Amino acid sequence: MRDDKENIIVNKTFDFALNIIEFSEDLYEAKRFPLANQIFKSGTSIGANVREAQNAESKADFIHKLKIAAKEADETEYWLLLCLKSPHLKSPHEKLISDLKEILLILSKIISSSKLNNFQISSFSNFQI
C-alpha cells in the first residue's frame, strides 16, 4: 500500500521531471527532436519508476523498480552530458545535472539499504542524505 507521507525521492524526481520537460522543450524549439525525445523519456521515467516503487508488492519488487529508476537516471545523465559537451547543442543548467547526481546518490543509498534484513518501504518516507 502506498504511503502518502512526505517522501524526498518522490518529490525530487517529480521536480526533476518538470525541469526535464522544460529543457526538452528548449531542445525541441532548437529542432533537436530526437535528443529532446530521448531526454524527455528517460528523464521523466525516473520519477515514474520511483512512484511505482511506492506500490511495490515485495522487497524484491521495490528494489527492482528503483534499479530501473537508477538506470533511467544514468541514461539521462548521458544525454545531458552530450548536450553539455557538444558545441552544437543547448547546454543544460548546471542545477539540472547536480539535481540528477543527487537523485542518483539517493537511489543508490535506498537500494543498498533496502537489501538489509530489516527492510520496510515506509522507512524511506523521510529519507535524507
Side-chain angles (χ1 to χ4, degrees):
M1 180 177 282
R2 194 171 92 212
D3 184 0
D4 286 332
K5 291 189 289 185
E6 188 72 15
N7 187 310
I8 189 87
I9 191 63
V10 171
N11 293 342
K12 283 190 176 294
T13 55
F14 185 83
D15 292 342
F16 181 77
L18 292 173
N19 292 327
I20 281 292
I21 291 168
E22 186 177 322
F23 183 65
S24 296
E25 288 173 353
D26 291 345
L27 289 172
Y28 198 82
E29 287 174 11
K31 300 187 185 331
R32 303 294 187 188
F33 306 119
L35 191 57
N37 288 336
Q38 286 288 5
I39 289 175
F40 178 87
K41 287 178 185 178
S42 64
T44 57
S45 180
I46 302 164
N49 282 290
V50 166
R51 179 89 181 232
E52 191 174 336
Q54 304 311 298
N55 293 310
E57 295 176 10
S58 65
K59 175 181 173 177
D61 187 38
F62 180 78
I63 293 169
H64 176 71
K65 286 174 177 27
L66 288 183
K67 283 183 174 182
I68 293 171
K71 287 179 181 183
E72 294 293 338
D74 283 336
E75 180 181 340
T76 303
E77 183 179 40
Y78 174 80
W79 297 120
L80 291 177
L81 290 174
L82 278 179
C83 291
L84 185 66
K85 300 292 183 179
S86 174
H88 306 291
L89 297 171
K90 178 177 176 52
S91 288
H93 297 289
E94 196 59 43
K95 181 162 177 16
L96 197 58
I97 293 173
S98 68
D99 287 348
L100 182 57
K101 288 182 186 285
E102 185 177 4
I103 287 167
L104 279 163
L105 178 63
I106 294 169
L107 286 171
S108 177
K109 286 186 175 189
I110 294 173
I111 291 166
S112 63
S113 297
S114 297
K115 293 177 181 179
L116 299 174
N117 289 335
N118 60 352
F119 168 84
Q120 289 182 0
I121 293 173
S122 62
S123 66
F124 294 103
S125 294
N126 294 311
F127 186 83
Q128 301 204 7
I129 58 171

